[in-house]
Amino acid sequence: MNLETKQKHIIWKSWVNVCRFLLAAVFIFSGFVKAVDPLGSFYKIQDYLTAFGMAAWFPTYLQLLFAIVLSALEFSVGVFLFFGIRRRFATTLALLLMIVMTPLTLYLALANPVSDCGCFGDAWVLTNWETFGKNVVLFIAAVSVFKGGKQIIRFITAKMAWMVSMYTFFFVFVLSFYCLDNLPILDFRPYKIGKNIKEGMEIPEGAKPSVFESKFILEKDGKKQEFTLDNYPDSTWTFVETRTVLKEKGYEPPIHDFSIVSLETGEDLTDSILSDKGYTFLLAAHRIEKADDSNIDLINEIYDYSVEHGYGFYALTSSPEEQIELWRDKTGAEYPFCQMDDITLKTIIRSNPGLMLIKDGVILNKWSDNSLPDEYVLTDSLDKLELGQQKQESDLRTIGYVLLWFIIPLLMVIGVDILVVKRRERKRAKNKVISDGVVSDKQELPQP
């Protein structure tokens, strides 16, 4: 190999490994933020299918399963590329993903059927054109690592690669199902614990606000009609659904569609609830007919507790009135119901139903349906309980714990790889060189 060829080889090898680390970083980040919020990924897949008219083609459980598997594949491909293991699998899958995603995001940028691709969940929202530009770069990187897969430098020997592979899959699936059963361990949405909803809705001085309008679909004598708050009809009409419509684009605050409307009166209760200096429980069930009813007795107990101590309690849903009545008949619910936009409810809490505690517009705590406070916790008024204080959360601490659960086992594998496997291989190679040298010396001895 002459000098020029050697230099080209070094440049190509360096380029392949730079592309490999770029892909690894993006795939690990993308897979991780999807894994901590599997329902968010599921909702985005639903948006895609609805935009393409394919929502009815796939059952809900398959859409959710696909969301979890996609996050696991992205995260695993990123880890494999980083450590230089499963090179053929990782480079091929990375290229296939980019072959699919690049033209898809070009279409999204041109047609704009959904507002953003959701590739990084709510952690980093990109416009459709920004996403397409990112995918062009990643596509070039994916082609490079696919063509130069043999140039990827290994950090772990082939004998230990299976352990890293198995643990990576195990870790990301456990993380996804834990967050699915509870709530996301990292919350990137504007309704994070500690956020002030009122402040999140404020418009900076001088900024032109976006104009939104709540639309209500009601039915009477088999005829459906759309109304606003200004012309909300009498009680002879039956509520069907509500949605928030953007009338004029302007500055968009983090929270722009938080509107609570009383089911009974049609009155907008948003300001009164957010300005309440006392505690208020908000039971969010974006579709009450699909809500888990396994903890209905506990929800009713929390409502009784709130009445006893003078706290507010409202159930928020986007479901029609007949579905709400079915829920009341089934559960014996006595709490008041209010209407809210479906997407807003999905954004507030990733559980159906889920419970949120606020005070003076500040979110103090959130619970999934599987972790609601019970009578053993609600033993006194909230001002005397830890439950009534803002739950302390630290994203850095949470990330640290997650990384420890993932990195420490991998460090142990790497330690075994370096101290045992590689040492044995070096010793075996050294013995082979010595034995080959002895044989060679014997062959060179003059024959008698």
Side-chain angles (χ1 to χ4, degrees):
M1 182 183 295
N2 58 41
L3 182 60
E4 183 179 356
T5 304
K6 188 174 182 179
Q7 288 177 338
K8 288 182 179 180
H9 176 75
I10 293 173
I11 293 173
W12 171 239
K13 186 173 184 177
S14 300
W15 169 253
V16 168
N17 281 280
V18 167
C19 291
R20 159 259 193 111
F21 285 119
L22 172 64
L23 287 170
V26 172
F27 276 112
I28 289 173
F29 179 68
S30 178
F32 178 76
V33 296
K34 287 185 179 73
V36 298
D37 187 11
L39 279 179
S41 301
F42 164 64
Y43 295 147
K44 181 55 66 175
I45 288 172
Q46 285 188 323
D47 290 343
Y48 274 111
L49 294 176
T50 301
F52 292 118
M54 301 166 59
W57 294 13
F58 306 96
T60 301
Y61 73 90
L62 279 183
Q63 298 173 33
L64 179 58
L65 180 62
F66 178 77
I68 295 173
V69 171
L70 179 61
S71 66
L73 286 177
E74 286 187 348
F75 185 80
S76 300
V77 166
V79 171
F80 295 169
L81 287 172
F82 180 83
F83 284 107
I85 60 176
R86 301 283 183 262
R87 290 179 292 190
R88 178 52 59 189
F89 170 80
T91 57
T92 301
L93 190 54
L95 181 59
L96 288 175
L97 286 171
M98 298 319 304
I99 287 174
V100 173
M101 295 305 299
T102 305
L104 175 61
T105 50
L106 174 60
Y107 171 78
L108 295 180
L110 293 171
N112 199 37
V114 293
S115 58
D116 68 273
C117 75
C119 50
F120 298 135
D122 292 301
W124 187 12
V125 179
L126 302 176
T127 66
N128 287 330
W129 279 111
E130 289 172 341
T131 302
F132 173 66
K134 174 209 60 161
N135 284 349
V136 170
V137 174
L138 294 182
F139 177 76
I140 295 172
V143 171
S144 299
V145 297
F146 179 78
K147 293 179 63 177
K150 293 182 179 179
Q151 306 301 323
I152 293 177
I153 301 170
R154 276 183 174 275
F155 292 152
I156 295 178
T157 61
K159 290 184 177 180
M160 300 299 291
W162 70 272
M163 293 186 67
V164 176
S165 304
M166 294 298 293
Y167 185 72
T168 298
F169 278 119
F170 172 78
F171 170 83
V172 71
F173 274 111
V174 168
L175 178 63
S176 291
F177 281 104
Y178 176 83
C179 294
L180 183 63
D181 194 48
N182 297 277
L183 292 177
I185 58 174
L186 291 171
D187 194 347
F188 303 107
R189 293 156 292 158
Y191 299 97
K192 181 179 179 180
I193 291 175
K195 293 290 186 180
N196 188 309
I197 299 176
K198 292 183 295 184
E199 292 179 359
M201 299 168 68
E202 292 176 355
I203 307 293
E205 187 176 351
K208 182 182 179 182
S210 294
V211 179
F212 292 88
E213 186 175 42
S214 294
K215 300 283 188 177
F216 304 91
I217 310 299
L218 293 96
E219 185 177 11
K220 182 177 181 180
D221 299 329
K223 179 184 176 183
K224 291 184 179 180
Q225 189 172 335
E226 187 175 87
F227 298 90
T228 65
L229 283 174
D230 296 330
N231 65 345
Y232 200 89
D234 56 41
S235 59
T236 60
W237 288 79
T238 302
F239 177 85
V240 177
E241 64 176 333
T242 184
R243 63 177 182 270
T244 302
V245 179
L246 175 65
K247 294 186 65 177
E248 185 180 346
K249 180 70 173 177
Y251 171 80
E252 191 171 284
I255 298 175
H256 52 77
D257 49 8
F258 190 92
S259 175
I260 302 175
V261 178
S262 171
L263 180 67
E264 295 181 358
T265 65
E267 180 185 0
D268 190 334
L269 304 178
T270 309
D271 290 336
S272 62
I273 291 175
L274 295 183
S275 300
D276 192 340
K277 300 297 182 182
Y279 294 98
T280 301
F281 287 101
L282 298 178
L283 179 71
H286 64 92
R287 300 300 295 184
I288 200 71
E289 66 271 21
K290 298 179 181 179
D292 184 358
D293 60 0
S294 59
N295 287 311
I296 53 176
D297 291 337
L298 191 52
I299 293 172
N300 290 338
E301 288 175 9
I302 296 172
Y303 171 66
D304 293 338
Y305 168 84
S306 67
V307 171
E308 180 184 349
H309 290 83
Y311 305 139
F313 191 108
Y314 301 90
L316 313 178
T317 185
S318 64
S319 296
E321 189 170 355
E322 58 265 25
Q323 295 295 340
I324 295 174
E325 290 303 319
L326 288 174
W327 175 266
R328 282 173 167 160
D329 292 340
K330 179 171 61 174
T331 66
E334 298 178 353
Y335 37 81
F337 273 84
C338 297
Q339 293 293 332
M340 180 174 271
D341 181 72
D342 182 68
I343 295 176
T344 303
L345 290 169
K346 291 177 180 178
T347 306
I348 289 174
I349 193 164
R350 301 296 201 211
S351 180
N352 188 28
L355 188 67
M356 182 167 70
L357 178 64
I358 66 172
K359 183 179 183 182
D360 196 21
V362 178
I363 301 173
L364 302 182
N365 213 330
K366 293 198 287 188
W367 299 273
S368 73
D369 182 52
N370 297 318
S371 58
L372 296 172
D374 56 26
E375 59 183 319
Y376 301 105
V377 177
L378 301 173
T379 55
D380 207 334
S381 58
L382 288 175
D383 59 306
K384 298 178 182 178
L385 298 174
E386 184 179 350
L387 195 73
Q389 309 303 313
Q390 181 183 314
K391 184 180 179 182
Q392 298 301 313
E393 291 188 333
S394 170
D395 288 346
L396 289 177
R397 184 185 303 170
T398 301
I399 293 172
Y401 282 136
V402 174
L403 289 178
L404 285 177
W405 275 104
F406 183 64
I407 290 177
I408 288 180
L410 289 187
L411 289 176
M412 295 173 63
V413 173
I414 294 173
V416 172
D417 191 52
I418 294 173
L419 298 176
V420 179
V421 178
K422 288 184 178 179
R423 180 176 292 181
R424 286 180 178 176
E425 289 183 350
R426 286 195 298 268
K427 186 175 180 180
R428 191 178 298 113
K430 183 178 179 180
N431 292 336
K432 187 175 186 302
V433 170
I434 294 174
S435 62
D436 289 346
V438 171
V439 171
S440 177
D441 290 342
K442 289 181 177 180
Q443 289 175 346
E444 292 177 2
L445 290 175
Q447 296 297 322

